[in-house]
Amino acid sequence: MNVRAGKIEATVDPAAVPQRRLYTGALMPAIGLGTFGSDHLTADEVAEAVRGAAAAGYRHFDCASVYGNEKQVGSALQDIAAIGIKREELWVTSKLWNDKHGEGDVIASCEQSLSDLGLDYLDLYLVHWPFPNFHPPGCDVSFRGSGAEAYTHEHYMRTWRKMEELVDRGLVRHIGTSNMTIPKLKLVLRDARIRPAVNEMELHPHFQQPELFEFVRAQGIEPVGYSPLGSPGRPERDRTPEDTSPIEDPVIGAIARRIGVHPAAVCIKWAAQRGQTPIPFSTNPRHYISNLRAVVEDSLTDEDMRAIAAIDRNCRLIKGQVFLWKDGQSWEDLWDVNGEITPP
Ligand SMILES: NC(=O)c1ccc[n+]([C@@H]2O[C@H](COP(=O)([O-])OP(=O)(O)OC[C@H]3O[C@@H](n4cnc5c(N)ncnc54)[C@H](OP(=O)(O)O)[C@@H]3O)[C@@H](O)[C@H]2O)c1
């Protein structure tokens, strides 16, 4: 699909895609295209998917500086503008990477993303992970950065103050969090001048995070669900023998067969109907079009929704081991599983 060729009739009418209303009153399309190439797809392949997806009717794109492709995605966004899709019709998210949490780095990093994406504002800017720890591309899970630090609320709030300044300066319309936990969010909500509009979190039928999901919604924060299909193409470092796959679950398979769709479409329908915003990644036009169709065609029944609620396995796939800060820790330490922020 080549959007440079001229105006293309959308496969799905963007006006038919459900929207989420954020606490500011702004509307965000209730499905977005992910853009993380999982370390094995090139930046140009991802950018081509952005072009094709926009032509098919997507208006929401989930980007990040660490995905290493914002320049190429920016070139796709220019092509999208050239076929008559206006900036105000798009929802573009980017994220602050872990090596840019310093007070002197946040604004410069956002400006770099804006310049790479060819935009003068972002709809949403997220703190990608709460930890100021980063890793080189392609490293394995045992990697620990030399300056790796524990999470502290004070450090996070220093970063958050600069995120708030981005809103004040008009560079971003909303700010949000990602990979947070309830105890961390409670403190941010206590101290923030500008509240997070979105929390991006792993969400799929085998990892439903009901407590965090309900918590953020009760706070007026929109849950955006990453890896909505269970990230079948995720990097090797994010795989463990205990992992399960929601698109191979027999309950999902049975619903898919009954309604005549791929199991991926059932996962997307479940996500959108439950009230989160899924951001599936795909470079395959057949796949990303079917994912988009899933949110506008044939709802799941209440019985289907109940059956899927019952297959939660609390199976976190993106465990984040490389963000740990000292030897001898386990990945659960990142997720405050005892209900308290893990001490340094
Ligand atoms: N905030 C964070 O920390 C964070 C973490 C992880 C991800 N994310 C975001 O979330 C996005 C999505 O997550 P993800 O990429 O991990 O996983 P995902 O969307 O669950 O899975 C993507 C994989 O599913 C395949 N796929 C997509 N649609 C399909 C369909 N209809 N039928 C069959 N296979 C299908 C894709 O392959 P094909 O290309 O062959 O279709 C790709 O390998 C990322 O791209 C990124 O933007 C954010």
Side-chain angles (χ1 to χ4, degrees):
M1 199 167 315
N2 183 357
V3 292
R4 291 192 196 94
K7 225 174 164 89
I8 294 178
E9 205 166 307
T11 310
V12 170
D13 178 1
V17 173
Q19 308 278 317
R20 307 285 185 213
R21 191 173 289 281
L22 305 187
Y23 76 74
T24 57
L27 294 173
M28 175 178 77
I31 180 169
L33 185 79
T35 66
F36 175 41
S38 289
D39 300 348
H40 62 260
L41 286 157
T42 67
D44 288 327
E45 286 171 308
V46 175
E48 197 51 31
V50 169
R51 286 188 188 90
Y58 280 82
R59 293 293 179 266
H60 173 170
F61 300 96
D62 180 77
C63 309
S65 57
V66 74
Y67 300 160
N69 54 25
E70 287 193 326
K71 271 202 170 117
Q72 291 79 358
V73 169
S75 142
L77 293 178
Q78 275 181 10
D79 294 336
I80 290 169
I83 59 161
I85 299 175
K86 298 192 182 68
R87 172 65 185 96
E88 54 272 27
E89 294 171 44
L90 296 178
W91 182 276
V92 183
T93 299
S94 182
K95 311 187 192 86
L96 179 75
W97 188 232
N98 305 3
D99 59 347
K100 302 291 182 193
H101 283 203
E103 283 165 285
D105 294 328
V106 177
I107 289 176
S109 187
C110 180
E111 285 173 337
Q112 185 64 52
S113 285
L114 285 168
S115 153
D116 288 346
L117 292 165
L119 300 175
D120 51 19
Y121 71 91
L122 291 168
D123 298 278
L124 175 64
Y125 197 51
L126 304 174
V127 180
H128 203 148
W129 285 81
F131 311 99
N133 307 330
F134 59 96
H135 56 87
C139 70
D140 92 18
V141 280
S142 58
F143 178 87
R144 299 287 172 271
S146 55
E149 289 175 35
Y151 176 87
T152 66
H153 175 61
E154 292 67 31
H155 185 127
Y156 193 86
M157 284 312 296
R158 282 201 291 276
T159 308
W160 192 257
R161 294 288 173 235
K162 300 309 276 187
M163 297 288 284
E164 293 173 330
E165 194 177 324
L166 290 170
V167 179
D168 297 338
R169 290 191 187 198
L171 295 177
V172 314
R173 300 267 162 99
H174 303 87
I175 50 179
T177 53
S178 177
N179 296 303
M180 290 291 267
T181 61
I182 293 176
K184 291 185 179 98
L185 273 171
K186 277 186 176 161
L187 294 181
V188 172
L189 288 167
R190 184 193 67 189
D191 294 338
R193 178 171 60 82
I194 301 179
R195 292 162 65 87
V198 159
N199 183 56
E200 195 166 302
M201 54 199 275
E202 182 178 332
L203 286 173
H204 48 76
H206 282 180
F207 193 56
Q208 303 188 15
Q209 302 211 64
E211 218 191 326
L212 180 57
F213 176 78
E214 294 305 341
F215 175 82
V216 298
R217 295 223 306 175
Q219 296 293 332
I221 301 172
E222 200 53 45
V224 166
Y226 73 68
S227 304
L229 310 176
S231 199
R234 68 192 178 282
E236 241 2 89
R237 68 165 180 274
D238 288 325
R239 294 174 191 270
T240 67
E242 300 75 43
D243 294 351
T244 60
S245 166
I247 52 177
E248 289 167 28
D249 189 288
V251 170
I252 301 286
I255 297 171
R257 278 192 299 282
R258 192 194 78 233
I259 61 178
V261 298
H262 188 279
V266 176
C267 293
I268 300 293
K269 286 177 191 294
W270 168 79
Q273 275 178 241
R274 184 190 189 214
Q276 64 231 29
T277 295
I279 46 170
F281 172 80
S282 178
T283 53
N284 177 330
R286 206 159 43 83
H287 289 169
Y288 59 66
I289 290 171
S290 114
N291 295 342
L292 183 62
R293 284 213 169 106
V295 302
V296 295
E297 291 171 0
D298 306 331
S299 305
L300 299 178
T301 63
D302 291 347
E303 199 185 323
D304 293 335
M305 292 299 287
R306 277 194 296 275
I308 298 174
I311 60 167
D312 189 5
R313 296 180 177 210
N314 194 25
C315 179
R316 188 187 290 279
L317 299 172
I318 309 301
K319 300 176 181 65
Q321 295 94 328
V322 288
F323 307 119
L324 288 165
W325 56 90
K326 60 182 185 190
D327 289 334
Q329 289 184 296
S330 78
W331 62 263
E332 285 89 346
D333 292 329
L334 297 169
W335 302 103
D336 305 336
V337 289
N338 297 326
E340 283 173 19
I341 297 177
T342 303

